[in-house]
Amino acid sequence: MAHKTSAVADEPIDVLFALQPGFNLTDFAGPLEVLTTSLHDLQDPTSKAFEVTIASGEPKVLSEQGVIIGSQVSWKEAYDRLSDFDVVVVVGGGTDKVLKEKAEPLGLITAFSEIQKGDPSRERTLLSICTGSLFLAQQGILSGLSATTHPDYITKFEILCSQAATRDLTERTDVVEDARYVVNNLRFDLGDEDENPYIRRKSDDRRPSNARKGSMSLKGSGRRESIARRAAMRLGGLRVITSGGVAAGMDAALYLVSVMVSEESANEVARMMQLTWTKGIVVDGLDV
């Protein structure tokens, strides 16, 4: 595929869903519906914004709800093609076995982050749904970042983040309990942070208001991203999004549509799916 620096052209954005045995079906199906419904051109039903590939260890993978999903590529094939993908999505379900056995998609998550660190010229996103964030915590991806997970797993999440920081001698994770989703490494050039009311700094004692709405796509913003600025970010500027429980994963997917396609496309997807899009937190970024 052609080398891309950002998904701003009207071409499909390549997404890899990583499914472990026992995955939660709605963690997968909800964001899948959001992404595959999104269009670059709302007047052109053929202008699909995202192209999805499903990876797993076997040709068929069983969800915790008893539904079988067919995978399109094996873990080996996913590794071989990993640099082709703009977005990797990891979902919850079956987490205890994955963590205990150090199984996939743990290695895939680390490999994707390493690709970004080695090539910060390209925009890439790692999105976790629900308890999929436990995998990111285990791999030390969330060091120095802000993140959330399903409310029932906050304590376990905090423990994994703390253990990773101690093991890797890295910064701790700012665990956020009251967010639908948390976004790190937004790509926009924000100007003077002291004059921007929409900046959330890690040093702030207060929690950001959930009333702050939305984000804006790069195409609509009139801003040019800075590759040098991205390279200086953690993980080479890899955008890391963690969401809360099942329904919050759809909110996070709508956010991803808004920044990678357009706000209009995200709103149209929400309308078609009859969703009320509850906005989350964008760390050190615009949320207007």
Side-chain angles (χ1 to χ4, degrees), residues 190-234:
L190 300 174
D192 188 349
E193 293 187 0
D194 291 333
E195 298 177 358
N196 193 320
Y198 300 108
I199 294 293
R200 179 197 176 202
R201 300 176 184 81
K202 299 271 180 59
S203 59
D204 285 353
D205 291 329
R206 59 183 175 81
R207 290 293 188 193
S209 170
N210 285 335
R212 297 175 185 172
K213 297 182 177 180
S215 186
M216 57 181 71
S217 72
L218 180 61
K219 288 191 291 184
S221 71
R223 290 179 168 84
R224 295 185 61 186
E225 60 186 325
S226 168
I227 292 174
R229 182 172 180 266
R230 183 192 296 156
M233 291 178 171
R234 296 180 188 279

Side-chain angles (χ1 to χ4, degrees), residues 117-272:
K117 286 190 282 187
D119 177 24
S121 66
R122 179 168 165 183
E123 175 189 352
R124 295 180 179 88
T125 300
L126 178 61
L127 167 62
S128 71
I129 310 297
C130 196
T131 55
S133 59
L134 301 180
F135 301 153
L136 276 61
Q138 171 65 33
Q139 296 305 98
I141 299 296
L142 302 176
S143 170
L145 302 180
S146 297
T148 194
T149 191
H150 189 289
D152 291 353
Y153 287 80
I154 284 289
T155 299
K156 184 171 184 176
F157 184 55
E158 289 178 326
I159 291 171
L160 284 172
C161 290
S162 179
Q163 289 174 340
T166 300
R167 178 194 68 213
D168 301 335
L169 300 178
T170 53
E171 291 186 48
R172 293 185 178 274
T173 304
D174 176 18
V175 176
V176 183
E177 298 185 38
D178 56 351
R180 298 287 284 182
Y181 55 83
V182 178
V183 182
N184 297 271
N185 289 349
L186 190 72
R187 67 172 175 263
F188 300 135
D189 180 8
L190 300 174
D192 188 349
E193 293 187 0
D194 291 333
E195 298 177 358
N196 193 320
Y198 300 108
I199 294 293
R200 179 197 176 202
R201 300 176 184 81
K202 299 271 180 59
S203 59
D204 285 353
D205 291 329
R206 59 183 175 81
R207 290 293 188 193
S209 170
N210 285 335
R212 297 175 185 172
K213 297 182 177 180
S215 186
M216 57 181 71
S217 72
L218 180 61
K219 288 191 291 184
S221 71
R223 290 179 168 84
R224 295 185 61 186
E225 60 186 325
S226 168
I227 292 174
R229 182 172 180 266
R230 183 192 296 156
M233 291 178 171
R234 296 180 188 279
L235 304 172
L238 177 69
R239 181 191 289 111
V240 178
I241 306 174
T242 53
S243 85
V246 171
M250 288 185 278
D251 290 330
L254 285 168
Y255 170 83
L256 192 60
V257 172
S258 76
V259 296
M260 299 195 78
V261 185
S262 69
E263 188 85 10
E264 292 75 19
S265 184
N267 287 331
E268 177 62 11
V269 171
R271 185 196 68 80
M272 291 181 66

Side-chain angles (χ1 to χ4, degrees), residues 61-75:
V61 57
L62 182 66
S63 71
E64 66 179 345
Q65 287 76 22
V67 176
I68 294 174
I69 298 295
S71 65
Q72 295 158 296
V73 297
S74 66
W75 292 131

